[in-house]
Amino acid sequence: MKQHLTVVVVEQNQERAFAIVDALKESGDVDVFVIGNVSGLARQIATHSPDIVLIDIDNPSRDMLEELTVASGPMERPVAMFVSGAAGGLAKAAVEAGMSAYVVDGLQADRIKPVMDIAIARFQVLRQMRVELEETRRALEERKLIDRAKGLIMRAKGLQEDEAYALLRKTAMNQNRRVADVAEALVTASGLLS
């Protein structure tokens, strides 16, 4: 865990909230903010810009899970949800919704730090995977554009594929642009002229 954390705890029971805050303070250098009223949860969480959100709830329904998921922003920060019972089928839904941790049997003081560490680590791994997936998608789209542009050049100028790519690359270098940007401009212009 990093040196200093800002933690938001979503807990409606004031006595449990105090116990959670005490356990967090004992686990390290943290600023803890407790949200007891879940109305306007997204705005309340955003106000504190936390490093992690801990949600303690007895028996969440699927609707409540979805609402908490949207509000707590699991794609922006790690979110750990602590539930009292097995809540059949909701663990899978929580993971699919982006929860970094879904812990059954409630929030216990001795488990807070290890669960937070795991939630943060899992979030970082998933965030890196999302970044890599997006980069791969972008590269694939650029490759498709370049292939379409090469096809247009080959038909228009009667060139072979490698010659068409060389011309595309040379044009990009002359214009100080990326090959994918030149390809996109060519494909767009071709679409306008068709």
Side-chain angles (χ1 to χ4, degrees), residues 122-175:
R122 182 171 187 268
F123 174 79
Q124 290 170 343
V125 166
L126 289 175
R127 179 174 49 192
Q128 181 61 33
M129 287 172 50
R130 281 193 300 269
V131 166
E132 289 172 5
L133 178 61
E134 186 56 39
E135 288 171 356
T136 302
R137 283 183 179 152
R138 186 174 30 255
L140 180 60
E141 288 302 315
E142 288 179 355
R143 188 79 243 152
K144 288 178 185 178
L145 271 173
I146 290 168
D147 286 344
R148 286 180 61 198
K150 283 191 306 189
L152 291 170
I153 293 169
M154 289 166 60
R155 279 191 297 280
K157 295 206 172 255
L159 299 175
Q160 295 295 317
E161 183 176 358
D162 58 337
E163 296 170 320
Y165 182 74
L167 179 59
L168 194 59
R169 190 167 158 238
K170 182 179 182 218
T171 303
M173 287 173 54
N174 290 343
Q175 295 178 3

Side-chain angles (χ1 to χ4, degrees), residues 35 38-47 67 70-73 77:
I35 298 175
V38 295
S39 69
L41 187 60
R43 181 183 41 74
Q44 291 183 72
I45 290 173
T47 299
E67 183 179 329
V70 169
S72 56
R77 67 188 57 85

Side-chain angles (χ1 to χ4, degrees), residues 35-68:
I35 298 175
N37 181 355
V38 295
S39 69
L41 187 60
R43 181 183 41 74
Q44 291 183 72
I45 290 173
T47 299
H48 301 295
S49 190
D51 296 304
I52 186 168
V53 176
L54 304 178
I55 300 171
D56 186 33
I57 193 156
D58 284 332
N59 292 306
S61 66
R62 191 168 295 278
D63 290 341
M64 180 182 286
L65 176 67
E66 288 176 14
E67 183 179 329
L68 288 170

Side-chain angles (χ1 to χ4, degrees), residues 26 30 66 68 75 86 90-91 99-100 120 132 142 152 168 174 182 184 192-193:
E26 288 175 17
V30 295
E66 288 176 14
L68 288 170
M75 298 303 173
L90 286 184
M99 293 288 164
S100 301
I120 290 169
E132 289 172 5
E142 288 179 355
L152 291 170
L168 194 59
N174 290 343
V182 172
E184 182 178 21
L192 291 173
L193 296 174

Side-chain angles (χ1 to χ4, degrees), residues 111-125:
R111 294 182 358 186
I112 291 177
K113 185 179 181 330
V115 168
M116 282 178 30
D117 290 344
I118 289 170
I120 290 169
R122 182 171 187 268
F123 174 79
Q124 290 170 343
V125 166

